[in-house]
Amino acid sequence: MITGLAHVSIVVPDLDAAARELDAKYGLKIGAIKVNTEQGVRMAYVELANAKIELMEPAGANSPVAKFLEKNPRGGIHHFSLGVDSVDAVTADMKNRGVRVLGDGTQKNVHGERIAFVHPADFLGALVELEDKREAKK
Ligand code: CO
């Protein structure tokens, strides 16, 4: 079951500059900067009451996020993320309905939550991440 909006993710060319801009213009502060070696990104989150804003900067030229920046040099919204109660159950159900799920279900985000992605062609053109919120509580 989809349980809520987890975050909206924005790719930025410079994470430190992005953090300064969000603070100066909106008073939004990022948390600790983390590196996700699996996804090749340096990232940080702005915590809002009901969801987060994820900022991602490519860490290396091979990062999938680097390709996004080539097409969108100033950055932009990359995906949004929905919390689910079980990534296994939700992706199995989606596959039964013909939805293309990306990843084998073993990927984890920087919080240790298991994640998967829904192909944009199967979600109105938007890349959707699924985060297993059950694991996060452990
Ligand atoms: Co994300």
Side-chain angles (χ1 to χ4, degrees):
M1 199 175 82
I2 292 168
T3 55
L5 177 67
H7 64 260
V8 174
S9 185
I10 303 174
V11 171
V12 297
D14 181 334
L15 182 55
D16 304 292
R20 283 194 299 274
E21 186 172 342
L22 288 184
D23 189 11
K25 289 182 175 164
Y26 310 106
L28 295 174
K29 316 261 186 218
I30 65 164
I33 293 175
K34 295 176 179 177
V35 177
N36 184 330
T37 47
E38 222 172 72
Q39 291 182 42
V41 289
R42 251 182 105 222
M43 59 206 305
Y45 291 88
V46 175
E47 300 255 4
L48 305 174
N50 58 343
K52 296 177 199 173
I53 301 169
E54 178 178 84
L55 302 176
M56 299 195 295
E57 173 198 271
N62 292 331
S63 166
V65 171
K67 293 190 191 99
F68 181 92
L69 265 188
E70 278 171 27
K71 290 183 199 153
N72 310 277
R74 297 172 64 187
I77 292 182
H78 182 265
H79 66 269
F80 71 94
S81 177
L82 298 172
V84 297
D85 55 0
S86 162
V87 79
D88 289 329
V90 167
T91 56
D93 187 48
M94 286 176 172
K95 285 175 186 169
N96 283 338
R97 294 168 197 237
V99 172
R100 281 158 285 182
V101 175
L102 310 174
D104 58 6
T106 62
Q107 280 179 286
K108 289 190 176 174
N109 64 17
V110 289
H111 310 295
E113 295 163 333
R114 288 178 54 208
I115 59 169
F117 287 89
V118 175
H119 194 291
D122 289 330
F123 207 113
L124 310 176
L127 178 61
V128 181
E129 181 180 8
L130 304 169
E131 285 184 348
D132 198 313
K133 291 303 180 191
R134 192 183 40 173
E135 301 221 341
K137 290 183 190 120
K138 282 179 191 166

